[in-house]
Structures are given as C-alpha cells and as structure tokens.
C-alpha cells in the first residue's frame, strides 16, 4: 500500500498492478482499493470524483513505481516487486498533510472501505495490505507533536502490517531522525545511500533523542539518490530523498513475503537486516564514529545497480 500524495493509476507501469484492475474483464473497481482523505479538495490535475485515484504532486506515483513498476510498453522493470499489487490513499493535499489525514489513511488500510462509506460498518479487514510504504513525515508545522501518531502506528503494527518509513532528509547531523512516524520503534525506518553504497548527506541520522530513548534509527538504508521511477501521465523522472529509499525496502519486503507468506512484520524486517551490509557512520562534526550501525543494500535504478 502507498500512503502519499496519491497515484496516477493509469500509468502503464502501474496500471496492471493496481488491485482494482481486473485484467480478465478489462474493468476497474476503485472502492476498497483507493481512498482520498481529502475528498474533493484540491483536485488539481485529478478526476473530480475522489473515488478515482489521482496524484496532485507526482511524489506518490514515483514511490509506487519503485515498489512494483513494470512497463509493458518496453518490458522495463523499474520496481522491486513487479508481481505485487498496490492500493493507495491520498494523505496530503498539495504536498501537506495533517495528523487527521495520516490517521485517516491508516484507518483505511486497517480495513478498507469505499470513499463515502462508514469505516465501522463498511470496513473489510480481509482487503487490508501486508505492507504500507510511508514516504512522509509529520512535523510541528503540520500539527504533529512526537506522540501524535504513535497509537495508530501501534494499532497497525498489532494488526500484522509492516510499516516502512522514510528516515527524513535533515542530515548529515546526528539525532536528526526526530519526527513522527519514522522515529517510532514500531516502524522500519529507511535511510538513503547513493549508487556507491555511501550514505547521502541529506539522509537523517540517529540516535533518536527527542523522546530520550536513544534508539537506533534508521534501521536500514537503500537507494535514494537520483532514482528513476514513474511520474504522472505515463512518464518517468528522477528524484532524490529518503522518500525514494523507503519504497525499495517495501518492495524488497514484498519479495520476501512472497517466499515466506507468514513472516510479517518482525521476521521480514530481520531478514532484510540479515542480508544487509553493516557500515559505521562517523559524526560529521568531529569525524569520530558515532557508534551507530547503519545497514543497507544496493537496489533500484542508480548506477551502479547491483542485486
């Protein structure tokens, strides 16, 4: 699942993987597969019907492509898990969200319901996704304090869903992983590295000190520098950020889940960590090791690309 700015479901590399698309009948069903928290608000470049998936920013389309994109026009595989299916929720309005919009999308993913349905009576937990990619954070400017989204994340984790989250782009200083939800212990946080396997300067670092925990964050890194992926209207583009790294990990988790169907959420996270390469990152101010162990794997559309 993608909780983001939306998705252009008509993009050729994403169209057939959309759970609402029925290839056998060449028909589409959007209810239970898509929810727009914002309804009819700011539908720029979107269908006026909020039940139809759209992306008013391009960010969400890009991240979904990294998870599972495959373009039948030329056979190009741009996603980690091209046989996976996706559903989505638009949590941001013009690139900005609120605590309520983020919670609303998590509520949808726990038990999907139609756009104008009642979550309590129409929600269907059998249609819930296994993995949720979250390439966003909620700073105080959007109304969040540190604890704002903790309960809903705990609920989703208790339901057996793996919550993969971008680590933030406030590096290179230490303790720059500080906002909901990437700083929470219940999520699998992802930093960004470049094609050479080096942590990027923008990638936020731990330890988490805002709550006094000192916990290790992010747990893993993935390709996040100049990543090529899908953009609206059937095109492609390059973006950089931990937002681009997180869907690599979400897609890798989907591949592992395919081979190990009952492994969510803890075992799949541990399996990815076990397959990663350990790196000690030095304090950018002093050059001394900060004793935090970052792990990562090369994946995606950077050069050089390795498996």
């Amino acid at each position: 699942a993608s909780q983001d700015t939306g998705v252009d479901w008509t993009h050729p590399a994403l169209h057939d993987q959309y759970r609402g698309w029925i290839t056998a009948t060449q028909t589409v069903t959007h209810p239970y597969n898509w929810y727009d928290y914002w309804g009819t608000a700011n539908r720029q470049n979107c269908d006026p019907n909020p039940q139809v998936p759209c992306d008013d920013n391009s960010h969400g389309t890009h991240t979904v492509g990294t998870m599972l994109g495959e373009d039948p026009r030329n056979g190009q595989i741009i996603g980690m898990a091209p046989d996976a299916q996706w559903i989505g929720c638009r949590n941001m309005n013009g690139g900005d969200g609120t605590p309520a919009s983020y919670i609303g999308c998590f509520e949808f993913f726990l038990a999907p319901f139609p756009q104008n349905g009642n979550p309590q009576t129409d929600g269907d937990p059998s249609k819930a996704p296994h993995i949720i990619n979250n390439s966003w954070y909620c700073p105080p400017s959007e109304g969040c304090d540190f604890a704002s989204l903790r309960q809903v994340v705990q609920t989703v984790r208790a339901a057996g869903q793996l919550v993969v989250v971008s680590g933030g782009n406030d590096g290179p200083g230490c303790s720059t992983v500080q906002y909901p939800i990437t700083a929470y212990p219940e999520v699998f946080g992802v930093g960004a590295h470049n094609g050479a396997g080096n942590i990027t300067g923008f990638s936020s670092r731990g330890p988490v000190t805002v709550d006094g925990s000192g916990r290790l964050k992010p747990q893993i890194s993935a390709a996040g520098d100049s990543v090529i992926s899908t953009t609206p209207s059937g095109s492609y583009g390059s973006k950089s950020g931990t937002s681009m790294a997180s869907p690599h990990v979400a897609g890798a988790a989907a591949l592992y889940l395919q081979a190990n169907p009952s492994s969510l959420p803890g075992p799949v996270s541990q399996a990815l960590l076990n397959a990663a390469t350990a790196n000690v990152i030095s304090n950018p101010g002093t050059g001394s090791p900060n004793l935090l162990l970052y792990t990562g794997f090369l994946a995606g559309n950077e050069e050089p690309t390795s498996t």
Side-chain angles (χ1 to χ4, degrees):
S2 169
Q3 177 174 182
D4 211 300
T5 64
V7 190
D8 177 7
W9 83 276
T10 65
H11 193 293
L14 307 179
H15 180 273
D16 291 355
Q17 293 92 320
Y18 176 44
R19 193 175 69 182
W21 176 251
I22 309 302
T23 301
T25 59
Q26 297 290 290
T27 58
V28 64
T29 302
H30 296 304
Y32 295 97
N33 299 307
W34 168 261
Y35 177 64
D36 190 332
Y37 173 84
W38 297 96
T40 58
N42 193 20
R43 302 289 293 175
Q44 184 177 1
N45 300 321
C46 290
D47 190 295
N49 179 4
Q51 185 63 91
V52 178
C54 80
D55 185 356
D56 69 357
N57 179 278
S58 83
H59 188 272
T61 299
H62 197 276
T63 59
V64 173
T66 298
M67 280 195 285
L68 47 72
E70 180 177 13
D71 196 328
R73 296 175 298 184
N74 53 20
Q76 181 182 17
I77 296 175
I78 60 163
M80 294 291 290
D83 288 338
Q85 290 183 311
W86 67 268
I87 64 173
C89 183
R90 179 175 172 244
N91 67 7
M92 284 176 272
N93 182 7
D96 293 314
T98 67
S101 69
Y102 299 127
I103 291 171
C105 282
F106 277 126
E107 182 179 42
F108 172 72
F109 290 144
L110 278 168
F113 49 87
Q115 180 67 35
N116 296 314
N118 184 330
Q120 300 301 317
T121 58
D122 298 326
D124 185 351
S126 71
K127 293 181 170 62
H130 299 95
I131 301 162
I132 305 170
N133 185 70
N134 301 269
S135 290
W136 54 270
Y137 65 91
C138 186
S141 61
E142 290 186 344
C144 274
D145 59 32
F146 185 79
S148 293
L149 303 176
R150 183 75 184 275
Q151 183 176 6
V152 70
V153 169
Q154 289 173 333
T155 301
V156 170
R157 172 66 183 241
Q161 294 172 310
L162 178 63
V163 183
V164 183
V165 186
S166 57
N169 302 323
D170 297 316
C174 294
S175 298
T176 45
V177 175
Q178 55 188 315
Y179 299 122
I181 58 175
T182 191
Y184 294 162
E186 295 84 3
V187 307
F188 199 39
V190 185
H193 62 239
N194 60 25
N198 299 316
I199 302 296
T200 64
F202 58 76
S203 187
S204 295
R205 275 99 162 139
V208 176
T209 56
V210 64
D211 63 346
S213 67
R215 76 174 58 89
L216 174 71
K217 285 287 179 174
Q219 289 101 314
I220 200 167
S221 69
D225 185 40
S226 302
V227 174
I228 302 296
S229 188
T230 47
T231 53
S233 301
S235 58
Y236 292 89
S238 173
K239 294 182 185 291
S240 296
T242 58
S243 285
M244 287 59 254
S246 180
H248 279 107
V249 174
L255 292 175
Y256 186 83
L257 181 62
Q258 182 182 24
N260 303 273
S262 61
S263 63
L264 282 174
V268 65
S269 303
Q270 191 58 52
L272 293 175
L273 291 174
N274 291 345
T277 301
N279 294 283
V280 175
I281 307 301
S282 296
N283 185 314
T286 65
S288 61
N290 63 16
L291 303 183
L292 294 186
L293 202 60
Y294 284 75
T295 54
F297 55 91
L298 287 172
N301 298 297
E302 300 172 331
E303 293 294 338
T305 297
S306 66
T307 302

